[in-house]
């Protein structure tokens, strides 16, 4: 088990399975799919198919996608190169207690978005690579978990009603 998941053989096939294990620093990793809702780090997230130009839509996603906390060495592709999340958080003046709570959305090509708006900062999206094609557009709704449903950082994945 590592990084929120585990690899398991079933016959001749190797499968990646979700296996959420939080460490003492409240890190998280959650596999996300379109039309699902998840809770992590005291926040709730709902993922829907989005339309170009629509508010709060991440463009150019290439599943599978995960929502996770920041990791040492994370880089976001921006115009003119890359920027470390450490530097980005420093520019945003992120409080130390928020550095592991700001969600990072990652797809098979790396970090697609840093969702700082969830904690009062701004969202930052990667620059799209035109050679990869358009990918998927995903709308994300972010809210604060009800304190009665977020038991000590428990994370759940469920279909929205």
């Amino acid at each position: 088990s590592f990084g929120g998941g585990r690899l398991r053989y079933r016959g001749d096939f190797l499968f990646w399975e979700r296996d959420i294990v939080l460490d003492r620093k409240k890190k998280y990793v959650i596999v996300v799919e379109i039309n699902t809702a998840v809770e992590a780090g005291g926040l709730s997230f709902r993922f829907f198919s989005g339309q170009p130009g629509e508010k709060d839509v991440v463009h150019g996603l290439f599943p599978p996608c995960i929502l996770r906390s920041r990791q040492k060495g994370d880089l976001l592709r921006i115009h003119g190169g890359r920027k470390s999340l450490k530097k980005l958080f420093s520019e945003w003046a992120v409080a130390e207690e928020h550095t592991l709570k700001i969600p990072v959305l990652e797809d098979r090509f790396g970090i697609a978005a840093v969702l700082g708006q969830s904690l009062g900062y701004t969202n930052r999206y990667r620059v799209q690579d035109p050679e990869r094609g358009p990918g998927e557009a995903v709308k994300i709704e972010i809210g604060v978990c009800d304190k009665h449903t977020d038991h000590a950082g428990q994370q759940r994945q469920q279909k929205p009603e």
Side-chain angles (χ1 to χ4, degrees), residues 87-105:
K87 184 172 183 176
L88 181 65
F89 288 2
S90 175
E91 290 172 1
W92 287 351
V94 173
E96 183 65 32
E97 64 270 13
H98 288 166
T99 59
L100 291 177
K101 291 182 180 181
I102 293 177
V104 174
L105 183 63

Side-chain angles (χ1 to χ4, degrees), residues 8 26 131 134 149 154:
R8 177 180 285 187
K26 304 288 184 193
E131 293 181 12
T149 61
Q154 291 292 323

Side-chain angles (χ1 to χ4, degrees), residues 29-98:
V29 175
I30 302 171
V31 176
V32 296
E33 298 173 11
I34 304 234
N35 297 320
T36 60
V38 297
E39 294 179 2
L43 300 169
S44 64
F45 303 88
R46 292 172 59 114
F47 299 87
F48 305 95
S49 290
Q51 300 298 321
E54 191 176 2
K55 185 181 179 199
D56 299 324
V57 171
V58 180
H59 298 280
L61 284 179
F62 294 88
C65 298
I66 61 171
L67 188 69
R68 63 173 177 80
S69 53
R70 179 178 87 84
Q71 297 176 358
K72 185 176 182 179
D74 275 345
L75 296 171
L76 178 66
R77 212 170 110 194
I78 60 170
H79 289 286
R82 296 183 178 156
K83 182 173 281 199
S84 74
L85 267 54
K86 181 178 182 176
K87 184 172 183 176
L88 181 65
F89 288 2
S90 175
E91 290 172 1
W92 287 351
V94 173
E96 183 65 32
E97 64 270 13
H98 288 166

Side-chain angles (χ1 to χ4, degrees), residues 9-20:
Y9 276 104
R10 289 189 188 148
D12 293 333
F13 297 95
L14 183 64
F15 290 88
W16 169 265
E17 297 175 336
R18 195 166 58 106
D19 183 24
I20 303 300

